[in-house]
Structure formats: C-alpha cells, structure tokens
Amino acid sequence: MKTPWLVAALVFGACQIAHAQGTLKIGVLNDQSGIYADFGGKTSVTAAKMAVEDFGGEVLGRKIEVIDADHTNKPDVAASVARKWFDTEGVEMITDLTNSAVALAVQNLAKDKGKITIATGPFSSALTNESCSPTGFHWTFDTYAAPRGVATGMIDDGAKNWFILATDYAFGHAMQQDLTDTINKKGAKVVGAARAPLGTSDFASFLLQAQSSKADVIALANAGTDMTNAIKQAGEFGIMAGGQRLAALAMVISDVHSLGLKTAHGLVAATPYYWDRDDASRAFGKRFMEKTGRMPGMVQAGTYSGVLHYLKAVKAAGSTDGAKVADKMREMPVKDFFADGATVRKDGRVEQEMYLVQVKKPEESKQPWDYYKVVSTLPASLVTRPLSESKCPLVK
C-alpha cells in the first residue's frame, strides 16, 4: 500500500509531465469593454495570434495557444484571472495589460510565481523603474518616453508654458511627474495642473481651468475615451481656435480614427510604430487590416512583437522556465518590423527609437487611415530613461 505522500508525489509528477508535453498558453489580459477597449482590446488578441502563426504555431514540441480575458480595469479582477491562469491553466506569459494599476499588480504576482509578463498597453514607467521585475518587460511606450518625445519638440518650437490635465490613477500620476521633470529640465514652466477621475465624461471644469491659465500647451496625460472626450470638449470650448495647442501624450491611431481629422488635426504625439512608415510596417498593417477591418496602432504592433520575441527566447532557452526565458529575452536583439535591432535592457525596457508625429489636416490625407505626418525621428537615447537614473534593483 502506497503512503499518502508518495501518492501525492506521483500525481504531482504525472501532472508536471502532462503539462510539459501539453499546450503552451499565452494570455492576453486587457480592457475589452471599457475606456481602453479600442486601445488594445480584442484586436490585441488578434495581434498575438498573428505572432504565434508567424512563429509556426508550436515550440519545444508544444502547440501554442492564445487565451484572453477582460480585466475591466480592476487590479483585483486582473490578479484573480492571472493567478488562475498561472496556477491551473498552464499560462506561461501574460501580455498587453492595458491599465497601469492592473499591470503593476499582475507583474508583481508573476514575479512571485516566476512567470513572464510583457506590458504593451500600460504606460507607467514604474514597471521598469522602482517596481521592475526580473521576469517583467515593458515593450511599447512609457511615461518617460511621452514627455521626452513630445515636450522636447514642442518646447524647442517655442512652447514655454504648460498646463497638465492628468487622469487620477497610477498612469496619470506617473505621466504628470515625468512630464513636469522634462519641462523643468528644458527651462519651460508648468503653470497649472488638474486631475480628472478615470472614466469621467465631463471635462468642462478642468478644461476651463486650463484655458484660463493661458498656457501655450495643454498636455493630456490620459488615454482612450477619456482622452478623446477631452479633445472633443476642448474643441467645443474653442481652446485650439483661441491659439492654445493640445499635446496628446498617450494617443493611438484608433483615437484619431474615432475623432476624425476635422477634430484631431494638429495634435502632436509620439509613437514607436506607424503603419505607413516603411514597407515592413505597411505589410503588417495590410495583414492586420484584412483580419480586423482597421489599421494597427502601437499597442497591437507591440503585442505582436513582444509575443514573437518571447517565443524566440523560449526556443533559444529550450525551456519555458521564466528566469531562463527572461535571460534570453534580454540577451537577444528584437528583430521584427516593430523594433528591428532594438535591445532589451536589464530593467526589462525595450530601448528603441520613436517618432514625433502630427495629425494631418483632412485635405492632406490621401487614403483611409492616412493620418500622421512623421515630423522627426526620436533617438532611443532621448526617449528611454538612462540606466544611471534608474531606481530598478536589477540595475543597481
């Protein structure tokens, strides 16, 4: 008769063998029904599946499967889903994670369990700064890149006085702080600031405060429908017509599509990806359009890139062990249309160049989704926090 502990050990061993020989699951966890649903959402799931398809559909003898869930912008919901995925469903990596508070919660959980996270949707630079993780990566954009890219160009163009309208949670707070630091270092001035609740539909009081400040630029440190609602209402108040400029620090191309060029033209933003930048970007954009009916933004492109790089690292490591895969991800350069030759740093941040873009006037657009003029290329050294300034323990 076998002792209970022996039976348990045999069962555990059998489960481990079955898991090793079974499906490798990648989870896309994001907002699919709220203010960020168009930011990444279901089309980010499509991008992840495209990466799996292009990789070949299997790795280390295991079929690759993409599963997804809606975190409803609640960190406790996201952590519950992630825990279940890691503990009972064989998920080895979670990506997208749009919403900074969600991303921080899931990255911390994944660190404890030795699992990989690749944040492509959230912006908070804390993910690779004070809250960095040995198995956590930030792929697309962050609150350091946005102000450095957008504010530097606009200040050099004469914008000396700034008003910051930020969303009132982790992402907005980080963006406001990083933007303020950039403005001060460039010799410009923040003349006012306000924080609006996440998901608010009425920006009137905040915009009137910004308008009365006489700031050269009103910087929107929000995203999704919060940002598009603020832009629409700014137009209704005649803010741009009165000579003040808007900087959309977290704008994606689907926001411009939603607003229309008549409303959005003149907006300035920074992005690591634009579908019409070169042949490789256009090729991915065309494939994505065929599958979704829309062009990809930086979140979808970043999700594709992050998933593909992860799978290459799994193959190179010969293992799905989080620590081993993370080492390979840092060791290997990123090679795809999104970030060709970019490096993955010790803190988990992808270091790559970005582009300062301005939204075209309606008469300048020659085809559907032809929305951006690329004003300049922003070098990686400008839009990535120097490791010498990092608070990440992995760097120290």
Side-chain angles (χ1 to χ4, degrees):
M1 179 176 177
K2 295 183 175 71
T3 58
W5 66 265
L6 180 57
V7 171
L10 291 170
V11 170
F12 177 78
C15 289
Q16 290 294 94
I17 292 170
H19 172 64
Q21 295 174 342
T23 301
L24 168 61
K25 292 184 180 180
I26 293 171
V28 180
L29 184 57
N30 60 12
D31 179 3
Q32 299 181 4
S33 58
I35 64 169
Y36 300 137
D38 202 37
F39 202 74
K42 282 289 188 179
T43 55
S44 201
V45 181
T46 301
K49 290 180 176 178
M50 290 173 68
V52 170
E53 178 184 335
D54 289 351
F55 185 77
E58 64 176 45
V59 65
L60 306 182
R62 296 169 64 178
K63 181 181 176 182
I64 306 164
E65 180 184 355
V66 175
I67 63 175
D68 66 274
D70 184 351
H71 59 47
T72 67
N73 289 303
K74 297 175 182 176
D76 57 337
V77 171
S80 178
V81 171
R83 185 175 290 107
K84 180 183 177 184
W85 279 359
F86 288 146
D87 291 349
T88 67
E89 297 194 26
V91 170
E92 300 289 354
M93 186 271 278
I94 296 178
T95 190
D96 191 328
L97 295 167
T98 299
N99 183 307
S100 293
V102 161
L104 289 163
V106 174
Q107 178 171 283
N108 191 54
L109 174 66
K111 178 176 68 173
D112 292 343
K113 294 183 177 293
K115 302 291 186 179
I116 300 287
T117 54
I118 302 177
T120 60
F123 281 6
S124 176
S125 60
L127 287 161
T128 52
N129 199 28
E130 62 268 27
S131 299
C132 69
S133 162
T135 57
F137 299 88
H138 203 171
W139 217 257
T140 307
F141 197 76
D142 66 13
T143 54
Y144 183 89
R148 295 285 290 180
V150 176
T152 297
M154 296 186 77
I155 291 170
D156 289 346
D157 192 39
K160 302 302 181 183
N161 296 315
W162 290 67
F163 186 98
I164 305 172
L165 175 53
T167 190
D168 195 8
Y169 83 108
F171 148 60
H173 300 172
M175 185 75 86
Q176 181 179 353
Q177 184 60 58
D178 284 333
L179 177 57
T180 300
D181 291 345
T182 299
I183 290 169
N184 291 338
K185 287 178 182 177
K186 291 288 292 181
K189 184 179 180 181
V190 176
V191 296
R195 290 180 175 176
L198 180 67
T200 188
S201 59
D202 184 3
F203 288 90
S205 62
F206 309 112
L207 290 170
L208 288 172
Q209 186 180 344
Q211 189 175 39
S212 65
S213 75
K214 306 297 183 182
D216 300 319
V217 178
I218 300 170
L220 300 178
N222 53 12
T225 55
D226 279 1
M227 189 196 69
T228 56
N229 283 337
I231 292 170
K232 289 175 184 176
Q233 291 171 38
E236 292 168 3
F237 284 118
I239 286 176
M240 291 81 85
Q244 289 175 298
R245 300 167 71 186
L246 289 187
L249 299 177
M251 185 175 72
V252 293
I253 197 166
S254 56
D255 295 327
V256 179
H257 188 72
S258 173
L259 288 165
L261 293 181
K262 185 176 180 181
T263 299
H265 76 271
L267 286 171
V268 177
T271 180
Y273 171 81
Y274 176 44
W275 73 268
D276 199 24
R277 188 179 65 84
D278 58 24
D279 289 343
S281 296
R282 282 188 284 272
F284 177 74
K286 181 180 179 181
R287 290 176 56 209
F288 190 86
M289 170 68 85
E290 290 170 351
K291 290 178 179 292
T292 65
R294 55 158 285 183
M295 281 295 180
M298 62 180 172
V299 177
Q300 291 81 17
T303 298
Y304 174 98
S305 175
V307 170
L308 187 63
H309 191 73
Y310 166 76
L311 292 172
K312 290 177 181 178
V314 168
K315 182 178 180 180
S319 171
T320 57
D321 176 79
K324 293 178 181 178
V325 174
D327 286 344
K328 284 295 180 183
M329 289 179 68
R330 289 180 170 87
E331 177 184 315
M332 300 164 57
V334 182
K335 295 288 290 182
D336 56 42
F337 69 88
F338 176 77
D340 192 14
T343 57
V344 184
R345 307 191 318 175
K346 292 180 181 179
D347 59 359
R349 185 73 177 97
V350 173
E351 188 169 15
Q352 66 179 113
E353 66 183 18
M354 294 185 183
Y355 311 98
L356 186 67
V357 298
Q358 186 172 34
V359 179
K360 292 181 174 182
K361 296 177 181 177
E363 62 270 22
E364 294 174 318
S365 179
K366 305 303 180 185
Q367 60 178 310
W369 295 87
D370 175 23
Y371 295 154
Y372 291 163
K373 292 184 289 188
V374 177
V375 177
S376 63
T377 297
L378 306 170
S381 59
L382 173 68
V383 294
T384 314
R385 187 188 307 276
L387 289 177
S388 60
E389 297 178 8
S390 176
K391 298 177 183 178
C392 172
L394 301 174
V395 175
K396 303 298 182 183

